[in-house]
């Protein structure tokens, strides 16, 4: 056993539907601009240029039904409804037709974003981390195992704030499909069991303020509810 000079931090993890056991999370990869209408609302042309990725730390994860304090430093805190893919098997240079073999399950996610900081970084050619990879920025509901839900490639993805529909799209509208994303990502990074992939958000992103209740739902995967409280 290795000795550590300070106490070990806990393993970041996500809940698993119908189980007390949890899914240990290694890294969180996120796809940028993967729905055409969202690319347009962000002022970019949707196209089939290679997808790009950013990451969040695993300890940014937040479970379903948690309250999240309005984040530090932002005045434009946004929701982003997303399908999350949980990788269960290591892989490198994965061919597209083998991609699905590496998936353990799927979950409903919310890619919280400090939009003002993200756009400032984008304009100045700086990294996106401060806009995307902050504390409590990766909300994830319980992961549903593939053996129970299969591989959802179509179906409603929807987000409401205080009951008002803000995002309403279909998983079939993804520019890059889940098998394509896994194959492309694994040609750049060695994918590991425990990695999560946030697959991008549809059009309609917008702000959250303290007191809001944000609910993301994906057909077949249930709901993810987050309440926003005052900034600490
Ligand atoms: Mn996103």
């Amino acid at each position: 056993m290795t000795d550590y000079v300070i106490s070990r931090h806990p393993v970041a993890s996500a809940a698993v539907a119908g189980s007390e056991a949890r899914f240990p999370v290694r890294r969180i990869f996120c796809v940028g601009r993967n729905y055409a209408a969202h690319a347009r609302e962000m002022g970019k042309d949707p196209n089939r240029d290679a997808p790009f990725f950013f990451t969040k730390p695993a300890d940014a994860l937040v479970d379903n039904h948690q309250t999240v304090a309005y984040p530090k430093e932002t005045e434009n805190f946004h929701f982003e409804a997303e399908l999350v893919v949980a990788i269960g098997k290591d892989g490198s240079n994965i061919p597209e037709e083998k991609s699905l073999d590496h998936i353990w399950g799927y979950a409903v996610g919310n890619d919280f974003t400090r939009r003002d900081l993200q756009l400032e970084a984008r304009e100045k050619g700086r990294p996106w981390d401060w806009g995307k990879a902050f504390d409590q920025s990766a909300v994830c509901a319980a992961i549903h195992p593939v053996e129970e839900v299969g591989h959802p490639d179509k179906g409603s993805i929807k987000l409401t704030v205080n009951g008002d529909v803000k995002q309403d799209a279909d998983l079939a509208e993804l520019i890059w499909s889940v098998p394509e994303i896994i194959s492309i990502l694994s040609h750049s990074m060695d994918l590991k069991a425990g990695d999560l992939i946030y697959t991008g958000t549809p059009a309609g992103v917008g702000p959250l303020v303290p007191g809001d209740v944000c609910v993301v739902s994906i057909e077949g995967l249930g709901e993810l509810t987050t309440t926003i409280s005052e900034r600490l």
Side-chain angles (χ1 to χ4, degrees), residues 31 54 80 82 111 132 200-201:
V31 186
F54 58 92
E80 293 192 356
E82 307 208 5
D111 166 17
K132 284 292 194 179
T201 197

Side-chain angles (χ1 to χ4, degrees), residues 38-100:
H38 173 62
R40 282 192 289 270
E41 77 180 350
M42 295 300 289
K44 299 292 175 185
D45 285 331
N47 52 44
R48 290 280 288 181
D49 284 350
F52 67 95
F53 299 89
F54 58 92
T55 59
K56 293 180 186 249
D59 67 3
L61 279 167
V62 176
D63 277 342
N64 198 359
H65 302 297
Q66 300 295 299
T67 295
V68 169
Y70 195 89
K72 295 173 172 36
E73 271 208 313
T74 185
E75 302 303 329
N76 196 17
F77 173 47
H78 275 206
F79 53 78
E80 293 192 356
E82 307 208 5
L83 172 70
V84 179
V85 177
I87 299 295
K89 187 177 127 188
D90 294 3
S92 183
N93 302 325
I94 301 166
E96 206 181 299
E97 64 274 15
K98 297 275 188 200
S99 285
L100 296 181

